[in-house]
Structures are given as structure tokens and as C-alpha cells.
Amino acid sequence: MEPLKTSPPGPAGLDRRTLLKLGAAGSVLAGTAGLGAIPARAQAPGRVQSNARIAIVGAGAAGLSMASRLADRLDGAKITLIDARKRHLYQPGYTLVAAGLKAQEYPISRTEQYVAPGVDWIQEAAEEIDPDAKKVVTDSGQEVAYDYLVVAAGIHLDYDALEGMETARIGQEGLGSHYMGPEAAYATWREMSRFVETGGTAVFQRPATEMKCAGAPLKYTFLTDDRMRQNGSRDKGHIIYAAHTDNLFSVPIVHEKVRMLFDDRGFDVRYSHVMTGIDLGSKEVHFDTPNGVEKIKYDFVNVIPPMRAAKVVRDSPLPWQDDSAWARDGWVEVDKHTMRHPRYPEVFAVGDVAGVPKGKTAASVKWQVPVAADHLVAAIADADSDAYYDGYTSCPLITQMGRAMLIEFDYKNNLTPSFPGVIAPLEELWITWVMKTIALKPTYIAMLRGEA
Amino acid sequence: MAGFDFAVYISVFLEMMGSILWLLVALAVLGLAGFVYVIMRDGTIHSRRLLRAEILGVFGGFGALALMAYVTLSGFTDAGGPVDWLLIGIIWGMGLVGTTILAYAVMGIFDIMRGRVPGRAGQAA
């Protein structure tokens, strides 16, 4: 199998005309589901007059979406986005790039495309957040004073916590890591496609920390399996999935379904294996297990590192202050239903950096942001808001090329299907795949613009 | 789940297709308008022309499915449940209806321009 060099066949040179003729039905049905059925915008009352200064740290999915929503609802407020990153990365696309289904450029666009009119964007990294003095300091020393702060600083991929890991070697000698970015995802695809040809042992895992999209490690295992099956080389490959606990997914009913599918696909599942390091020379992954350290040799590995809050947040007083793992990893202390900081009520956190029990996904962002925005606007207007986030998140869990399960759930581990009786949550369906491949990204981009 | 908002669908489709969305909406409107015009002008539906248009429509339905498979990187064995078959039916049906209407309108306008009545080839209208 030739690694994909530029645009894969299909949507890259998307004949958009076909979409109107063909995609309408599927997309209308499906496009709204992957990020959760689209909430009505019409709830927004009239614009609120204010001269409040609102700083938003982080211009990723959550920060941009929040800026768009606030700009839409406030008149006269000074909204400032703080982030040095010029590129915007559509992270749900990484799995598709790493499986050779989309080109390396697919997730990449420019942040400036999504900055709402009237929002100032300081193109510098936030160096310090001082919630007592109500200011953010950028890496050039610029001080941004605020009345309200939205923390959307995202996640730090802590590769340094894995002994022996060298990110510069991703894409060489069987080392993949599709979370690091579009380039790493593409490099991972090159290694995966080599493995599909040569066979051997593939090792997949996930970290023991909170993480972005807990479905992605599973998807990628399924996709590697499917690539081998399509290539006729599945019998040459031994696929090991190392779960960090005694389950494959934190929602019990989803775990059971995935366990059955993994069994069906012939994966070798190792529970309670937490990756601690890697030996790139001898090609061994090191795991901490109940029986001590275990080393597993690999021919291909997809390393997913521990994840923590962005450094600027960890160094601030905003994270949880107890002795929990959440506090250690620096996730921002917030009320899980309002996204508001209990100790600093003028501070909100949305997106990956928020210390809430479930879902660091774009779908979570889509549902957290309107709630946080509503509470923030209500605070400005000296009013109350009854907006409430129940932990909804979703994951189109790809199980093979052409099929996925639309998994939607909340804080209580309840399944919350958007289309009960139509799109069954634990069924491998083409419609869910259609949604993932063509309808999710437009929905996501509409979300960045505050339109979905 | 909150309700749905038509404007949101429009923005999602705009993101998916860009300004071509409006071009295609215009094409659909023109196709329909042409269809209505031809029927009004003829004062009837010509069954032979309709039959030809429907035959083209059947192929249009399969064409719609083939193109959908192409844009979604799917194969022909990916349908996994009832809703998939429903979706396949909807796509096929949309291809059929769209192609039929467009083909009928185009053939009708062509006939009108040439002063022909379908079914009685060679006979002046």
C-alpha cells in the first residue's frame, strides 16, 4: 500500500456539487449529531450593552467559539483573545489523517478565519494568569487587565513524562503518535502503512491521565486492523491494546460493546497497563502493571502521552487545590454544570482545560460554551441564568472504514442518543461514518463562528 | 436535546459547500421552474417524455449513490443497520427525483424550441 502523499481520492478534491444532490439527506440527519444535535441559537435574547473587559486565554476550538458567542451577545464589550498560534487545527481529523483517509493538510486552517469581528486577537502566548490582580501577562510582558476571564488554554501533551520518548523520531522505525499534530499524524500513517505490509506486533495504548477524545485510541486500533484486512495481511499482524484500567472505555455499556468488538477482531487486550516509557532502540514499550514492569516489543506503536493542563494554567491558582489527580495535572476548578470557577466567580473555563469529569472533545466544547457564555452574559447584565451543562459529549467511534458507532453520553454515564430509534448508539453504522467524514467538520467550523 | 434551527443548517451547508450552495439551490429552483413551465405550456404531462425522464432518473439514483460512496470514502458493503438502508433509499430517491425533473424540463424545453410534440415524432405542434 502506497502511503498517501497529498490528497487522497475522494473528498480532497471534493466535488461539492455532488454534496447537494447526494449528501443532503445524510448530512441533514447526520451533520447535527456528531457534535450533538444543534441547539437553537434563537435562545439568545437581545444584545447586552456593556463595556466589560473580557480576556479569553486560548484561541482553539473553545476560545474561538466563546469569542464568537460573546461578540454576538454583547454590545460594547472589549473581548480579547490571547494565543500565539496562527494555525487552527481541526483535531478530530487527526485519526483520519493517521489512517491515510485524509491528507496531511486536512486539519489545518488559519485562526484568523474564525476570529469574530470586533474581537481583538493578541498573537502572543499567555505567560501568566493572575486571577487576584485580574490580569493576564503575555510572553512579551504585555498586561491584559480583565473584568471576566475565560480560560480555554487547552492541553499539554506531556511526552517528557514517558522515559525514552523522542518526538523527533515519530515516523521512524515503527514509532507513531497521531495526537501530536497533522504532521505527526501523517508520519504515523506512513509507519502504519508499512506495518500493514510487513506485519509483526502493533501496540496501542492510552494514558492514565485525563485525555482528549478517549475514543481515538480505540478508533485507531480498529482502523489499523481494517487496513490489514483490506490488504489481506491481517494474519501477519498481532494487535495488542493496552488499557490503563480494567476497562476499555469509562462508560460501562460502551466498554462492554467495545470489548465484544475487540474480541471479534482478535485483539490481544491487556488491562491495567499504564505506559511509563519506551526504548526506541530495542523497540519495547514499558508498562506499569499490577505485576510490576512489563516490556512489550513492537513493530508499530501509536504513543498517546499523558495529558495535563497547559503550563500557564498549572502555574496559576486556578486548578483544583485538593490532592486529586485533577489537581496534580492542573485542570481548572469549575462547577461542572456552569463552567464557572467557584473561587474566582469572574473566571470561566471551557474546553479541554476545564476540570470536569467527562469529555475533552469538540462536542463537549459545543455544549459547554453556550452555557458558560450565558452565565457570563448574565453576570454582566446582573441577571440569573439557568443554563446547565449535563456533561454531554459524543464520539463517532470508527470501527472500520465505512462504519462507526455514534456514542453520546453524559456525566452519569447515561447514553444520550440524539436520534433515539433512528441512529442506534451501539450499532456500527454507515450513516455515522458519513457524518464523521463529511458533515462533522462543517458543523465544527460553524461552531467556531458561534453559529452552531 | 435542544431544538433545531434552520439557520444553523444553512450555515453548516454553507461551510460544507461554500457559495456553490446558492448556485445549486438556484439550479434546483430553475429545474423545478422549468418543469412547471413545460407542464403549463404543454397543458399536460407527456407520458412518453416522463417515462424517458424516469429511466434517466433511475440511473441518476444510482449515480447519486456512487458519488456519495466516493465522497465519503465508503464501499458497497458498509451499510450496517436499518437507518443505513433508509439513507441509501433517500439518496437514491433524491437522485431519481432530481434527475427526472431536470431531464423532463430539459427535454420539454428542447421540444418546445423545436416545435415538437413527444409521442408523435415528426408531427408539428
Side-chain angles (χ1 to χ4, degrees):
Chain A
M1 183 171 35
E2 275 295 298
L4 200 61
K5 292 195 175 58
T6 53
S7 298
L14 190 66
D15 177 4
R16 292 177 163 169
R17 187 168 308 183
T18 60
L19 284 173
L20 184 78
K21 283 174 71 181
L22 315 169
S27 306
V28 167
L29 262 174
T32 53
L35 292 181
I38 288 168
R41 278 192 298 175
Q43 295 162 348
R47 285 160 68 88
V48 171
Q49 292 285 334
S50 168
N51 55 9
R53 298 163 301 171
I54 302 168
I56 301 174
V57 175
L64 286 167
S65 181
M66 192 71 178
S68 298
R69 290 234 161 217
L70 292 174
D72 190 43
R73 296 197 49 188
L74 296 170
D75 209 1
K78 181 172 169 49
I79 302 168
T80 307
L81 268 171
I82 303 165
D83 198 324
R85 294 169 299 177
K86 311 277 192 293
R87 292 203 311 182
H88 181 78
L89 301 172
Y90 170 65
Q91 297 176 64
Y94 290 1
T95 317
L96 299 176
V97 173
L101 294 161
K102 295 280 186 184
Q104 181 177 308
E105 302 77 29
Y106 173 70
I108 305 171
S109 57
R110 286 173 292 112
T111 300
E112 65 183 356
Q113 291 173 257
Y114 315 113
V115 178
V119 172
D120 290 329
W121 175 26
I122 298 176
Q123 297 182 28
E124 296 175 23
E127 187 75 20
E128 183 194 345
I129 299 172
D130 184 343
D132 294 306
K134 293 189 182 180
K135 67 175 184 183
V136 177
V137 184
T138 70
D139 57 3
S140 74
Q142 188 179 347
E143 293 194 359
V144 181
Y146 65 79
D147 301 308
Y148 294 92
L149 173 68
V150 178
V151 185
I155 260 177
H156 169 67
L157 299 175
D158 196 1
Y159 284 100
D160 291 340
L162 296 174
E163 197 183 342
M165 179 65 193
E166 293 175 38
T167 54
R169 290 171 69 175
I170 292 169
Q172 298 169 27
E173 295 171 46
L175 178 63
S177 186
H178 85 286
Y179 268 68
M180 205 175 83
E183 294 78 13
Y186 179 68
T188 302
W189 158 238
R190 283 202 316 262
E191 290 306 303
M192 191 250 259
S193 61
R194 195 195 325 273
F195 170 75
V196 164
E197 292 294 338
T198 59
T201 299
V203 177
F204 301 93
Q205 48 74 236
R206 61 149 286 172
T209 60
E210 297 290 314
M211 68 176 296
K212 288 174 184 289
C213 186
L218 307 170
K219 288 178 211 178
Y220 199 61
T221 312
F222 278 122
L223 283 165
T224 305
D225 167 78
D226 199 32
R227 279 289 188 193
M228 293 197 96
R229 286 176 197 276
Q230 297 211 355
N231 193 51
S233 53
R234 181 62 183 88
D235 57 346
K236 290 199 287 184
H238 179 208
I239 294 179
I240 296 174
Y241 186 87
H244 71 300
T245 60
D246 60 357
N247 64 60
L248 295 165
F249 202 85
S250 66
V251 179
I253 194 169
V254 178
H255 156 72
E256 278 302 320
K257 178 67 184 185
V258 174
R259 183 189 62 74
M260 286 185 258
L261 291 173
F262 269 26
D263 194 43
D264 174 67
R265 304 297 201 272
F267 299 163
D268 177 357
V269 179
R270 314 278 176 92
Y271 290 102
S272 302
H273 276 50
V274 176
M275 182 175 173
T276 55
I278 188 166
D279 186 331
L280 297 173
S282 63
K283 295 173 83 167
E284 286 177 330
V285 190
H286 300 178
F287 290 97
D288 199 5
T289 78
N291 302 320
V293 175
E294 190 176 329
K295 297 178 180 179
I296 301 178
K297 282 191 90 68
Y298 66 87
D299 296 288
F300 172 58
V301 61
N302 184 41
V303 173
I304 303 180
M307 302 187 195
R308 315 197 193 285
K311 185 171 184 302
V312 65
V313 173
R314 291 202 310 273
D315 292 346
S316 78
L318 294 175
W320 289 88
Q321 299 295 309
D322 50 20
D323 56 0
S324 65
W326 279 8
R328 273 198 305 282
D329 291 338
W331 309 115
V332 176
E333 182 177 359
V334 287
D335 178 291
K336 67 181 181 180
H337 297 302
T338 64
M339 313 310 290
R340 192 170 193 166
H341 203 292
R343 289 179 283 122
Y344 298 98
E346 65 285 351
V347 176
F348 293 81
V350 283
D352 291 349
V353 81
V356 293
K358 284 256 187 289
K360 298 195 182 303
T361 69
S364 302
V365 167
K366 185 171 140 36
W367 287 85
Q368 289 171 1
V369 164
V371 170
D374 204 61
H375 282 276
L376 200 159
V377 171
I380 287 174
D382 205 15
D384 290 325
S385 165
D386 56 4
Y388 182 90
Y389 173 60
D390 65 4
Y392 173 91
T393 192
S394 83
C395 170
L397 181 49
I398 296 168
T399 56
Q400 66 175 61
M401 286 179 284
R403 281 191 195 168
M405 300 190 291
L406 182 58
I407 310 279
E408 301 169 273
F409 53 94
D410 63 14
Y411 284 144
K412 297 176 181 169
N413 288 338
N414 291 328
L415 294 180
T416 54
S418 292
F419 301 98
V422 180
I423 300 183
L426 297 176
E427 196 168 3
E428 299 174 77
L429 295 171
W430 178 57
I431 192 169
T432 309
W433 168 268
V434 168
M435 177 191 72
K436 170 79 182 171
T437 50
I438 64 170
L440 213 58
K441 193 176 176 189
T443 311
Y444 171 92
I445 287 169
M447 174 188 86
L448 297 186
R449 299 201 163 115
E451 293 165 351
Chain B
M1 284 297 156
F4 296 92
D5 184 340
F6 187 69
V8 174
Y9 282 117
I10 297 289
S11 62
V12 168
F13 276 112
L14 265 174
E15 288 299 338
M16 199 185 281
M17 289 175 254
S19 54
I20 291 170
L21 174 68
W22 302 119
L23 193 74
L24 293 170
V25 168
L27 188 70
V29 168
L30 282 176
L32 265 175
F35 183 69
V36 170
Y37 167 75
V38 169
I39 289 173
M40 303 266 280
R41 168 80 189 239
D42 291 347
T44 182
I45 290 181
H46 290 294
S47 56
R48 181 167 290 201
R49 188 195 290 149
L50 184 65
L51 187 68
R52 285 201 199 105
E54 281 173 347
I55 290 168
L56 284 172
V58 170
F59 290 107
F62 286 115
L65 283 175
L67 281 164
M68 187 69 179
Y70 175 72
V71 298
T72 61
L73 309 165
S74 304
F76 294 104
T77 56
D78 292 332
V83 67
D84 290 343
W85 295 108
L86 182 69
L87 178 61
I88 286 167
I90 289 170
I91 294 164
W92 186 79
M94 284 174 61
L96 181 140
V97 171
T99 309
T100 300
I101 289 174
L102 204 61
Y104 189 92
V106 169
M107 285 190 286
I109 289 167
F110 194 66
D111 283 346
I112 288 167
M113 284 167 62
R114 294 184 51 176
R116 262 194 334 178
V117 176
R120 278 162 276 177
Q123 188 178 332

